[in-house]
Amino acid sequence: MIEIVFAFKGEGRGSCSTATEPIRAPLAEVLVDFYPFVGRLVKGSDGKMAATCTGEGVLFVEAMSDDEIGMLGDISVINPGTLRKLVKHSQGAQTIVEESLLTVQVTTFKCGGISVGIVMNHVLVDGKALADFLTCWSDVARGRSPSILPFLNRSVLCPRRPPLVELPHHEYAPIDRPSEKIVDCRTKPHVYRSFYFEPHTLIQLKKVSTITTHDGSSRVPTSFEVISALVWIARTKALGMDPHETTKLLTAVDGRPKFDPPLPRGYFGNGIAWSCAECSAGELTFKPFLFAVQTVQEALRCVTESYIRSAIDHVELNRVVVDYEGNACCISKWSRLSFYERDFGFGRPFQVAPTMVPHNLVLVASQSEESDNVVVSLGLPRDAMDVFSELIQSELALMNKY
């Protein structure tokens, strides 16, 4: 599930009805085009999930709070205990096929502030598709024609006939593989923390990992690449992996622009591919920081149309899932999604944040609309999180000295 909260100042609206009506009616209108959201998941005889258009609808909830919206504080600091009160989960659902594919909760605060909480089933679509849906919804809410409509033909990402696995795909693991975890994160209680990377810090991290090529030009990594490398190193150390163990960093990559031609505009589905950076824990933690950055870069460069087609066929032929467990860490970037541009008629959100971070996922996002800071959020068992926090804070302090 994707659980996300949009916080709006609301321009003084104080009653629940005036907050929800400009949101509810446009939602009903756009769901005509985005009709898969009003159905439910079904599991086919082949074990694959599909959306059946039952027309059961989207759960829409109105709520009111006697508090000021400021009591939420900085919602980019992940606090599931508070933020999950601002989203609505399907009551009584025992399995994923019983869950609503989309729920919306609008909460009005006494100051006129408004939060819009969304829960979306990730099996149906990815973050980019959700962002496109929100674009259409906010367009209609402001009396405009939808600027982007869903492309619903999933056949563009079907397996080839016959399937052809041309490349290794270590980003996947067998469904029934034996467990060999160093830290069993599923059974240990998690704590969630967020870490802020200021522009100056990112500049310094890029400087120490910039290389000069043979022609004299400089190859400067992106902010996301240096953050990914630093988090990967710190997490590997925090979990106490054996130096001979293989550690992986899986990065969610939007596959839409990787095709030639790109996937149709508005492709409504999961267009994500996973890059896989891997090495031994010893190499990652003992070699210079540049090694980790270059390993991440090389994995990202490998995500091409051929790689994605091969991955689709690999999944078709084998009982595999994305390797979320064991020594693998997944990282996803929200900073390029257009969440801060959403305006339902009462201004843009001043903050957008997830209510929680799923197991083994690191989320990279913008702190707020006004801030240039990048926030990195994750959950770990408490003992591992204490080590991780110390390592990250030490590195940030070092960079800030320059």
Side-chain angles (χ1 to χ4, degrees):
M1 295 290 186
I2 293 179
E3 300 180 12
I4 184 170
V5 171
F6 295 75
F8 301 86
K9 294 179 180 178
E11 297 183 348
R13 287 179 170 81
S15 73
C16 193
S17 60
T18 58
T20 58
E21 286 310 310
I23 297 178
R24 185 209 300 266
L27 173 62
E29 185 174 337
V30 298
L31 285 173
V32 174
D33 290 311
F34 290 84
Y35 60 83
F37 272 139
V38 305
R40 293 293 183 270
L41 291 177
V42 294
K43 192 171 185 179
S45 58
D46 58 359
K48 295 180 180 179
M49 291 289 186
T52 179
C53 298
T54 60
E56 293 182 56
V58 166
L59 184 61
F60 188 96
V61 176
E62 301 177 14
M64 297 187 71
S65 173
D66 292 331
D67 292 313
E68 306 276 339
I69 197 169
M71 61 79 60
L72 297 176
D74 182 356
I75 67 172
S76 69
V77 179
I78 303 298
N79 183 354
T82 297
L83 295 182
R84 298 198 85 192
K85 295 176 182 177
L86 301 176
V87 297
K88 181 64 177 178
H89 300 91
S90 300
Q91 293 181 341
Q94 301 297 315
T95 65
I96 193 170
V97 297
E98 298 173 0
E99 294 272 3
S100 297
L101 295 178
L102 179 71
T103 72
V104 178
Q105 176 175 319
V106 179
T107 304
T108 303
F109 295 80
K110 71 175 184 180
C111 60
I114 301 165
S115 71
V116 177
I118 293 172
V119 179
M120 186 205 72
N121 197 315
H122 212 331
V123 173
L124 182 65
V125 295
D126 58 18
K128 176 62 169 64
L130 174 61
D132 289 344
F133 167 73
L134 293 170
T135 296
C136 286
W137 184 5
S138 62
D139 284 341
V140 173
R142 287 178 291 153
R144 301 178 179 180
S145 298
S147 55
I148 183 170
L149 290 173
F151 181 86
L152 297 169
N153 185 353
R154 302 289 185 92
S155 66
V156 293
L157 290 183
C158 280
R160 293 171 289 193
R161 297 296 179 213
L164 178 61
V165 181
E166 304 167 287
L167 298 164
H169 291 284
H170 297 165
E171 70 273 25
Y172 293 100
I175 293 175
D176 53 358
R177 70 169 179 180
S179 177
E180 298 179 351
K181 301 178 184 63
I182 300 301
V183 175
D184 191 343
C185 293
R186 295 177 301 176
T187 59
K188 291 191 174 185
H190 273 47
V191 293
Y192 298 89
R193 291 183 189 169
S194 300
F195 303 86
Y196 298 96
F197 288 75
E198 298 177 351
H200 171 78
T201 302
L202 293 172
I203 290 172
Q204 296 307 317
L205 285 171
K206 291 179 185 180
K207 281 184 178 179
V208 300
S209 49
T210 295
I211 63 172
T212 302
T213 62
H214 65 277
D215 61 359
S217 61
S218 296
R219 184 178 298 166
V220 183
T222 66
S223 295
F224 181 70
E225 288 167 351
V226 294
I227 288 173
S228 298
L230 182 59
V231 168
W232 186 22
I233 294 169
R235 186 179 180 278
T236 300
K237 289 180 178 179
L239 293 179
M241 295 182 194
D242 186 276
H244 301 292
E245 291 277 350
T246 297
T247 177
K248 301 178 185 179
L249 180 73
L250 309 185
T251 303
V253 178
D254 182 11
R256 293 166 176 79
K258 301 295 182 180
F259 290 83
D260 185 15
L263 293 188
R265 186 171 183 264
Y267 175 77
F268 190 72
N270 275 295
I272 292 297
W274 292 93
S275 72
C276 181
E278 63 178 333
C279 61
S280 72
E283 286 181 298
L284 183 67
T285 56
F286 293 126
K287 286 190 174 182
F289 180 61
L290 178 60
F291 170 80
V293 174
Q294 291 179 322
T295 304
V296 170
Q297 290 175 321
E298 180 57 31
L300 291 171
R301 280 194 291 268
C302 288
V303 181
T304 61
E305 179 175 355
S306 296
Y307 177 93
I308 298 172
R309 293 288 185 195
S310 178
I312 293 170
D313 292 348
H314 176 62
V315 173
E316 176 72 7
L317 291 173
N318 302 283
R319 285 177 51 82
V320 295
V321 292
V322 176
D323 190 7
Y324 292 113
E325 304 295 344
N327 295 342
C329 171
C330 301
I331 189 165
S332 181
K333 177 172 59 174
W334 278 18
S335 52
R336 287 192 177 180
L337 298 177
S338 56
F339 290 149
Y340 279 101
E341 297 174 16
R342 304 289 64 84
D343 180 354
F344 295 98
F346 39 80
R348 293 185 177 187
F350 64 90
Q351 275 201 298
V352 180
T355 66
M356 61 174 294
V357 181
H359 163 64
N360 262 21
L361 177 69
V362 178
L363 186 63
V364 181
S366 301
Q367 183 181 4
S368 68
E369 185 180 26
E370 293 83 12
S371 174
D372 292 327
N373 291 348
V374 175
V375 58
V376 175
S377 303
L378 74 160
L380 283 172
R382 183 174 296 278
D383 53 350
M385 181 61 83
D386 289 342
V387 177
F388 180 90
S389 297
E390 183 177 346
L391 291 168
I392 291 293
Q393 297 296 351
S394 175
E395 188 66 31
L396 293 180
L398 179 62
M399 291 297 107
N400 287 332
K401 287 181 179 180
Y402 291 98

